[in-house]
Amino acid sequence: MKTVQFREAICEAMSEEMRTDESIYLIGEEVAEYNGAYKASKGMLDEFGAKRVIDAPIAELGFGGIAVGSAMNGNRPIVEYMTFNFSLVGIDQIINNAAKIRQMSGGQFNCPIVFRGPTASAGQLAATHSQAFESWYANCPGLKVVVPSNPHDAKGLLKAAIRDDDPVIFMESEQMYGDKMEIPEGEYIIPIGVADIKREGSDVTVVSFGKIIKEAYKAAEELAKEGISIEIIDLRTVRPMDHAAIIKSVQKTNRLVILEEAWPFGSVSSEITFRIQDEAFDYLDAPIKRITTADTPAPYSPVLLEKWLPNSNDVVKAVKEVLYK
């Protein structure tokens, strides 16, 4: 085992795959000469050269289109967005081309491409740089959406995403790039679409994904002091979603709380709530509770931002509510 930062896990995954397949390349703003805006591609320009680690201008629609076209012609590009907020500039290439070309071509073309970068808030970055787009992209058939919460999962899932023959949205966080964790020395792959139980428990199931899951871990420690045992499931992949893992846990605990850093309307938590009431209603002993951001654009004020984001106190409160405590 070795200890690496989240950014190093991302870099390792890309580099390992690029060493074995010359059709893989990285393109994005500041990925080459600057070693990545968050240093997630450090050293890759020196190893692979400027033809495979490509600095793009500030033109997400343009370099996204180049990457989609090259994927249709035998390459396996990795597109880095400095933030998924900027992916909105190039979203036509993702939704209308990458996600649909296999079906629209009758299977003649596939699009093995990874769009990766940070999602959701990262401190005082205000409304236009603090948005979570997991549910937006997960709503589109043809896309897979991966949101790891730690370095170990990030490396294994990114390698799986790069090898996938269909487009994958891979979402990270500026606030996780410095997170450290032990990972295996050798190669490993984590399959897309498989959730992971991060903490076993018996009283309440808590489902989350991405960096906000840390608030569930904090809540679990506080609740344990009161004799309350929560089971924490990390989705890891939003689409395809591992509904079976959630249902199995709810069959044991009979209660469900969902924690998500996104707006409430049309959220991932809304989808989970529907699926569980549809497929596991008889196992529920309490209504499902969801915890999201406030239903407003993200504020710049640190005082307001603290209120806007979900936190461990919100999780504790929701768990006690479904336990009628």
Side-chain angles (χ1 to χ4, degrees):
M1 302 291 283
K2 61 182 179 181
T3 301
V4 300
Q5 292 184 332
F6 195 106
R7 59 170 58 89
E8 293 170 322
I10 295 293
C11 187
E12 283 190 12
M14 294 190 292
S15 298
E16 287 177 10
E17 294 303 302
M18 288 175 69
R19 291 179 194 124
T20 63
D21 187 343
E22 292 189 356
S23 71
I24 302 170
Y25 68 90
L26 173 66
I27 186 169
E29 296 151 357
E30 299 186 348
V31 299
E33 296 288 347
Y34 192 65
N35 287 310
Y38 313 105
K39 301 299 180 275
S41 53
K42 186 175 181 180
M44 291 179 64
L45 175 62
D46 293 338
E47 179 173 356
F48 300 106
K51 288 187 176 180
R52 296 183 67 198
V53 182
I54 305 167
D55 273 332
I58 303 174
E60 287 81 6
L61 182 63
F63 65 76
I66 289 169
V68 170
S70 74
M72 292 169 59
N73 284 278
N75 290 299
R76 307 183 76 88
I78 304 166
V79 177
E80 177 177 311
Y81 294 121
M82 197 175 293
T83 160
F84 264 96
N85 296 282
F86 302 155
S87 75
L88 299 188
V89 182
I91 198 169
D92 179 60
Q93 291 293 340
I94 302 172
I95 301 297
N96 283 329
N97 292 330
K100 295 179 174 61
I101 194 61
R102 181 190 285 274
Q103 185 199 51
M104 292 177 66
S105 69
Q108 296 177 81
F109 292 100
N110 64 337
C111 194
I113 186 170
V114 176
F115 299 96
R116 51 159 293 269
T119 184
S121 68
Q124 288 179 263
L125 299 182
T128 60
H129 286 199
S130 302
Q131 302 167 106
F133 295 108
E134 295 88 355
S135 63
W136 287 40
Y137 286 113
N139 182 254
C140 180
L143 298 177
K144 297 175 181 176
V145 180
V146 179
V147 194
S149 67
N150 61 65
H152 173 271
D153 291 354
K155 181 178 179 180
L157 285 164
L158 182 53
K159 288 172 71 71
I162 294 168
R163 296 184 187 188
D164 201 287
D165 287 331
D166 290 305
V168 179
I169 306 294
F170 194 92
M171 294 179 153
E172 304 155 13
S173 168
E174 290 105 314
Q175 293 182 322
M176 288 199 297
Y177 285 121
D179 289 358
K180 293 181 179 180
M181 189 179 192
E182 282 193 344
I183 69 171
E185 289 276 359
E187 180 179 86
Y188 65 95
I189 302 287
I190 296 175
I192 292 173
V194 180
D196 187 38
I197 298 176
K198 298 299 191 196
R199 180 182 178 120
E200 292 193 357
S202 57
D203 295 326
V204 178
T205 298
V206 177
V207 175
S208 190
F209 56 92
K211 79 172 190 293
I212 201 67
I213 200 172
K214 295 177 182 179
E215 298 302 315
Y217 298 151
K218 294 176 189 175
E221 294 300 323
E222 290 302 311
L223 289 163
K225 296 175 184 177
E226 301 179 40
I228 299 172
S229 170
I230 68 171
E231 181 150 292
I232 300 175
I233 296 179
D234 185 350
L235 285 181
R236 303 199 294 197
T237 303
V238 170
R239 183 166 186 163
M241 188 180 294
D242 191 352
H243 296 108
I246 304 172
I247 291 170
K248 184 177 180 180
S249 180
V250 169
Q251 288 173 337
K252 177 174 65 173
T253 66
N254 310 117
R255 292 169 172 84
L256 176 61
V257 171
I258 308 159
L259 171 63
E260 177 182 9
E261 185 184 345
W263 296 311
F265 192 93
S267 59
V268 174
S269 54
S270 300
E271 174 66 17
I272 296 171
T273 300
F274 168 78
R275 292 298 293 262
I276 298 305
Q277 67 81 31
D278 185 50
E279 300 180 28
F281 181 80
D282 289 341
Y283 291 96
L284 291 171
D285 287 343
I288 298 169
K289 293 289 184 180
R290 67 176 182 180
I291 306 162
T292 65
T293 66
D295 196 14
T296 70
Y300 175 75
S301 159
V303 176
L304 293 177
L305 183 63
E306 184 179 359
K307 295 291 186 182
W308 184 82
L309 283 167
N311 59 47
S312 60
N313 291 331
D314 297 327
V315 179
V316 169
K317 180 182 177 183
V319 166
K320 289 184 176 181
E321 285 179 355
V322 298
L323 286 169
Y324 302 112
K325 289 182 179 287

